Amino acid sequence: MFSIEAVNDEERRDVVHARLRQSNSQLSARLRGMRGTLDEEDPLQVYAAGADGTLAGGLVGHTQWGWLHVDLLWVDEHHRGAGLGSRLLARAEELAGNERGCIGSRVETWDFQAPGFYGKAGYRTVCVTEDYPPGITNYLLVKSLRPQEG
């Protein structure tokens, strides 16, 4: 007989994480080969600041599993529409692809945020989740960072 408990327990969480990671490594030779290298999160942050040091925008993300994960991208409303967001994204993609060997980039955004912006930057929508949260649509977009042939 088992007791089912809904509790926040960091020690148990760490055990579950370690055991799932071990199980995944046993089941996947590819994951096993990445352990200790590509599976670790490596922060990647790019910022735009004015001459006075005032923050005008920033991208906060990380690389993991050979991918750039764009977690946050923000541009001050006074600087929107001038290409600053595109420049921040392009620089992060360049660093991820050229310096960290990433093959792709992924980002989640909401319908009222920037799915069109990412589409113009070459991202394609791979998942749409309606009502996440209720009344809002969530988009998962990806882009290849592999060099284009031709």
Side-chain angles (χ1 to χ4, degrees):
M1 186 63 146
F2 297 98
S3 65
I4 305 296
E5 303 171 85
V7 297
N8 293 328
D9 183 326
E10 288 188 34
E11 185 176 327
R12 288 180 183 178
R13 181 206 60 210
D14 291 347
V15 169
V16 169
H17 180 256
R19 290 184 181 167
L20 179 60
R21 186 178 167 115
Q22 178 183 17
S23 177
N24 288 343
S25 290
Q26 290 172 347
L27 295 170
S28 171
R30 181 154 321 254
L31 279 180
R32 195 168 40 255
M34 288 185 205
R35 293 293 181 223
T37 58
L38 293 177
D39 68 322
E40 300 299 325
E41 283 190 27
D42 191 5
L44 192 153
Q45 301 172 18
V46 181
Y47 298 102
D52 63 355
T54 303
L55 192 62
L59 183 148
V60 176
H62 66 279
T63 56
Q64 185 178 27
W65 302 312
W67 280 71
L68 167 62
H69 298 251
V70 178
D71 300 319
L72 308 168
L73 176 57
W74 167 82
V75 174
D76 182 270
E77 64 183 310
H78 296 99
H79 303 288
R80 292 181 190 154
L84 186 55
S86 297
R87 290 173 52 205
L88 290 166
L89 183 60
R91 181 65 177 136
E93 292 170 353
E94 177 185 358
L95 291 169
N98 295 339
E99 294 184 14
R100 299 187 185 185
C102 289
I103 63 166
S105 178
R106 67 185 313 275
V107 63
E108 286 189 57
T109 190
W110 285 319
D111 54 4
F112 64 88
Q113 288 179 317
F117 165 80
Y118 290 107
K120 289 177 186 174
Y123 285 72
R124 64 183 173 83
T125 301
V126 295
C127 180
V128 176
T129 307
E130 296 177 0
D131 287 326
Y132 184 75
I136 297 173
T137 301
N138 178 270
Y139 293 84
L140 171 62
L141 301 104
V142 298
K143 177 181 180 178
S144 174
L145 297 182
R146 291 182 170 128
Q148 301 298 317
E149 292 185 19

